[in-house]
């Protein structure tokens, strides 16, 4: 007798933690965190969210906004004395008014920074590590095949995301 049990849920399909996973991927190679597993990094970031009273069922299932990810990352970075800082891309854009939109992306990536950007459907965060001006696509680290390369306008990216940069490069 065959029983149709439906599709098996995968990690990430039932939670809103993709923004947190992007933060993990942004710091996983930092020298001060070498030897920390992804599970450790997840715990450390969730502890930072807890310190901010921002670890709720609604956030776990529905996800975090950009300003919340900035706050979580900065509490996390301070607790490990990391020389990294997160800020909203819109704030970075205002602090660099003479730069064109592509130059702001290059400003982040040229300093070994990362951009954490929301998809246009607001369903997923991804970690971008480069911008290809020829194809107008961000190169992203994401295990979901739907987001290996993603096209999003620079204007939209710079209003819906955050940058992680060395503190002295902000």
């Amino acid at each position: 007798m065959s029983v149709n049990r439906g599709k098996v849920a995968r990690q990430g399909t039932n939670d809103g933690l993709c923004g947190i996973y992007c933060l993990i991927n942004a710091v996983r190679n930092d020298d001060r965190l070498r030897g920390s597993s992804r599970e450790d990094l997840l715990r450390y970031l969730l502890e930072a969210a807890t310190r901010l009273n921002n670890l709720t069922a609604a956030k776990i299932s529905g996800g975090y906004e950009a300003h919340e990810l900035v706050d979580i990352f900065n509490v996390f970075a301070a607790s490990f004395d990391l020389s990294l800082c997160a800020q909203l891309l819109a704030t970075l854009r205002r602090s660099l008014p003479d730069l064109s939109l592509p130059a702001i992306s290059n400003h982040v990536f040229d300093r070994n920074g990362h951009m954490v950007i929301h998809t246009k459907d607001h369903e997923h965060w991804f970690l971008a590590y480069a911008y290809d001006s020829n194809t107008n696509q961000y190169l992203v680290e994401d295990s979901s095949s739907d987001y290996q390369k993603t096209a999003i306008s620079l204007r939209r990216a710079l209003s819906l995301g955050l940058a992680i940069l060395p503190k002295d490069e902000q």
Side-chain angles (χ1 to χ4, degrees):
M1 178 168 151
S2 174
V3 176
N4 184 356
R5 295 180 48 105
K7 206 171 181 184
V8 175
R10 295 181 334 179
Q11 181 178 355
T13 58
N14 295 317
D15 67 54
L17 296 177
C18 54
I20 298 290
Y21 297 133
C22 288
L23 301 180
I24 290 169
N25 288 328
V27 299
R28 70 173 182 247
N29 294 322
D30 190 283
D31 287 338
R32 293 176 194 248
L33 298 170
R34 285 216 198 271
S36 296
S37 67
R38 285 183 296 226
E39 292 81 8
D40 289 339
L41 295 173
L42 175 62
R43 186 179 74 248
Y44 301 149
L45 284 158
L46 293 178
E47 287 170 353
T50 299
R51 279 183 250 145
L52 293 165
N53 295 318
N54 208 358
L55 185 60
T56 65
K59 292 298 175 188
I60 292 170
S61 63
Y64 288 94
E65 299 293 325
H67 67 92
E68 295 166 326
L69 291 173
V70 166
D71 292 343
I72 290 167
F73 184 85
N74 288 335
V75 166
F76 161 78
S79 67
F80 286 93
D81 198 29
L82 300 180
S83 59
L84 297 170
C85 186
Q87 68 176 301
L88 293 173
L89 285 166
T91 303
L92 180 63
R93 183 177 177 191
R94 284 191 299 274
S95 71
L96 302 168
D98 296 335
L99 292 185
S100 66
L101 295 178
I104 292 170
S105 286
N106 290 337
H107 173 85
V108 173
F109 299 132
D110 289 348
R111 287 156 179 78
N112 295 316
H114 300 282
M115 290 172 64
V116 179
I117 303 170
H118 229 181
T119 56
K120 58 187 166 190
D121 59 6
H122 297 278
E123 290 294 319
H124 189 62
W125 287 103
F126 62 87
L127 179 70
Y129 62 89
Y131 181 76
D132 183 346
S133 59
N134 293 323
T135 63
N136 292 324
Q137 290 184 321
Y138 284 96
L139 303 177
V140 302
E141 290 184 348
D142 194 296
S143 61
S144 169
S145 60
D146 296 339
Y147 298 107
Q148 288 297 315
K149 280 189 172 179
T150 190
I152 189 169
S153 75
L154 279 169
R155 185 173 310 281
R156 182 167 182 79
L158 293 177
S159 64
L160 287 177
L162 56 132
I164 299 172
L165 286 165
K167 283 183 182 176
D168 58 346
E169 298 286 345
Q170 299 261 329

